[in-house]
Amino acid sequence: MDGYTVNISLADAQTCRMIVATHIDNQTMALGGLGPQWAVYDADVLPTFQRKTLKERFALCPWGLYHIDVQKA
């Protein structure tokens, strides 16, 4: 909605075990918060992200996600 985009390869999404979340704590994510969807990975278990700041850990995790554009490499 604000034009923020993230480009991530399929290989990186698979390595990070990225998911598209629609709920948090058993509640639907509302538009205007993290929702309606959030592409995210478990940064706590990925060595690449464990020592980064919070902002750096989730830089590849767009929140407020409503569109995914898949392109052939």
Side-chain angles (χ1 to χ4, degrees):
M1 294 177 64
D2 63 2
Y4 180 75
T5 62
V6 172
N7 293 318
I8 186 168
S9 70
L10 178 59
D12 287 342
Q14 289 173 326
T15 297
C16 293
R17 299 187 65 189
M18 187 169 260
I19 64 166
V20 175
T22 59
H23 290 71
I24 192 166
D25 295 331
N26 257 356
Q27 299 291 318
T28 303
M29 289 187 284
L31 183 62
L34 292 174
Q37 300 174 85
W38 184 21
V40 68
Y41 44 75
D42 191 352
D44 291 338
V45 300
L46 297 168
T48 306
F49 299 100
Q50 287 176 341
R51 295 190 177 168
K52 293 185 176 189
T53 66
L54 187 61
K55 184 177 180 179
E56 292 173 318
R57 290 175 124 201
F58 295 102
L60 295 176
C61 299
W63 52 271
L65 179 66
Y66 68 94
H67 177 80
I68 297 174
D69 182 23
V70 179
Q71 297 180 3
K72 187 175 180 177

